[in-house]
Amino acid sequence: MKELFIKKGRQQTLNKEIKLKGIALHTGEEAEITIKSAASDRGIVLFRADLESKELIKARPESVVNLKRNTSIGSRENKKANISTIEHLMAALWGAGIDNAEIAVSGPEIPVIDGSAYPYYRKIKEVGIKKQEQKRSYYVVEKTLSVRDNSASISISPYTGFKISYTLDYDHPVVGKSFFEFDVSKDDFAAEIAQARTFGFAEEIEKLHQQGLALGGSLDNAVLIDKEGTVNPLRFENEFVRHKILDVIGDMALNGRIMGHIKAVKSGHKLHVELAKKIRENMIEEEN
């Protein structure tokens, strides 16, 4: 029987702090983050630098407080401390190999930059990565865990490594159906996944704005899709499904490093986090 966790390699943090700023996707406000190095076993923690309390929020499934068009974490006691749209940043930290970091956020949302994970990833790589003394832990999936919502589903099964197989299927002539697979042992995160941008539909913009969402969305930070095609050019022919894999990575990173094969069909943040919670529960039950 496999061990629940295996130790492989050393934990990592940033060599020095970095700052990124830009528009927040949903609030439309200027936003800034400062990512600092953190001690071994600290994990990824965030806090609102604009608030007096500076309450630290761990990037874990149990910290998720909202899943409406993004993944938001926060405090259930103090809603003012919430931080939204963390998924692209979390994917970048995972892809860059960062295990420990402390992130100060200037407001309620992470800046979207260009709508992908690449600007965060590139900045982390520019300042360099520092190896730490503690060994890195990988959670080894020993049984299949899954969640479903009608025709959408996501599961994780035992696998020696980390792989995501995603099937995208939209009832839209421009998006349609596509499949893509990412295997960390064979594929380059920076080249294949990190640069894929979030996307939205022109016909939904007014409704989203009425809900207080996508107020900062533009052709600079998202792919806009109308009935005929994309308004701005794609970076990949199948950029939509690649971005969906990016979102899966960002949401799964709430549990750190995992060994398993994820199979997703039409899933979004809600199902991703439901699976992340199942994984977390399984971790804790097995540890006890």
Side-chain angles (χ1 to χ4, degrees), residues 109-122:
E109 189 173 6
I110 302 291
V112 69
I113 316 293
D114 74 344
S116 77
Y118 192 68
Y120 316 110
Y121 176 90
R122 183 181 62 221

Side-chain angles (χ1 to χ4, degrees), residues 15 23 41 55 68 74 101 115 120 143 157 160 175 185 189 193 201 204 206 214 216 265 278:
N15 201 35
I23 295 294
D41 295 327
E55 180 181 352
K68 196 170 186 178
Y120 316 110
K143 62 182 180 182
S157 302
T160 305
V175 181
S185 67
F189 171 79
I193 302 298
F201 299 92
E204 291 184 344
E206 186 177 346
V265 178
K278 273 198 172 186

Side-chain angles (χ1 to χ4, degrees), residues 47-238:
F47 69 91
R48 290 281 298 276
D50 59 319
L51 300 181
E52 190 175 340
S53 68
K54 307 290 188 294
E55 180 181 352
L56 294 175
I57 302 165
K58 293 182 178 180
R60 290 186 177 173
E62 59 266 32
S63 299
V64 173
V65 293
N66 182 41
L67 291 163
K68 196 170 186 178
R69 298 288 180 135
N70 76 97
T71 300
S72 301
I73 59 172
S75 167
R76 299 189 184 279
E77 290 74 36
N78 180 14
K79 290 186 179 180
K80 289 183 178 179
N82 291 358
I83 300 168
S84 62
T85 321
I86 68 164
E87 58 272 18
H88 301 168
L89 174 59
M90 289 296 294
L93 291 164
W94 179 92
I98 299 298
D99 303 286
N100 305 297
E102 189 173 287
I103 302 161
V105 187
S106 68
E109 189 173 6
I110 302 291
V112 69
I113 316 293
D114 74 344
S116 77
Y118 192 68
Y120 316 110
Y121 176 90
R122 183 181 62 221
K123 197 75 172 176
I124 293 166
K125 287 293 190 177
E126 282 175 4
V127 301
I129 294 167
K130 181 168 63 178
K131 288 192 178 294
Q132 299 174 288
E133 290 303 313
Q134 290 291 95
K135 289 278 190 179
R136 176 184 279 167
S137 292
Y138 290 77
Y139 173 69
V140 180
V141 174
E142 292 189 307
K143 62 182 180 182
T144 299
L145 302 169
S146 61
V147 290
R148 175 179 289 276
D149 183 8
N150 296 318
S151 60
S153 65
I154 185 168
S155 67
I156 188 165
S157 302
Y159 181 71
T160 305
F162 183 70
K163 181 164 69 170
I164 300 171
S165 304
Y166 196 104
T167 300
L168 180 67
D169 190 0
Y170 269 72
D171 185 18
H172 192 284
V174 177
V175 181
K177 188 171 184 177
S178 57
F179 173 85
F180 197 68
E181 200 162 71
F182 171 75
D183 191 323
V184 70
S185 67
K186 303 172 185 175
D187 304 315
D188 185 337
F189 171 79
E192 301 291 338
I193 302 298
Q195 299 176 61
R197 296 160 296 169
T198 192
F199 58 92
F201 299 92
E203 62 197 46
E204 291 184 344
I205 290 176
E206 186 177 346
K207 183 180 178 181
L208 289 172
H209 286 178
Q210 290 172 354
Q211 297 172 347
L213 297 169
L215 298 174
S218 74
L219 297 181
D220 293 326
N221 56 41
V223 178
L224 184 63
I225 304 164
D226 63 19
K227 292 179 180 178
E228 305 298 324
T230 61
V231 177
N232 42 342
L234 293 170
R235 292 177 176 173
F236 308 93
E237 184 181 356
N238 58 352

Side-chain angles (χ1 to χ4, degrees), residues 3 7 35 55 82 135 149 203 249 263 287:
E3 294 180 3
K7 301 283 187 178
I35 309 175
E55 180 181 352
N82 291 358
K135 289 278 190 179
D149 183 8
E203 62 197 46
I249 290 171
K263 297 177 183 177
E287 282 181 307

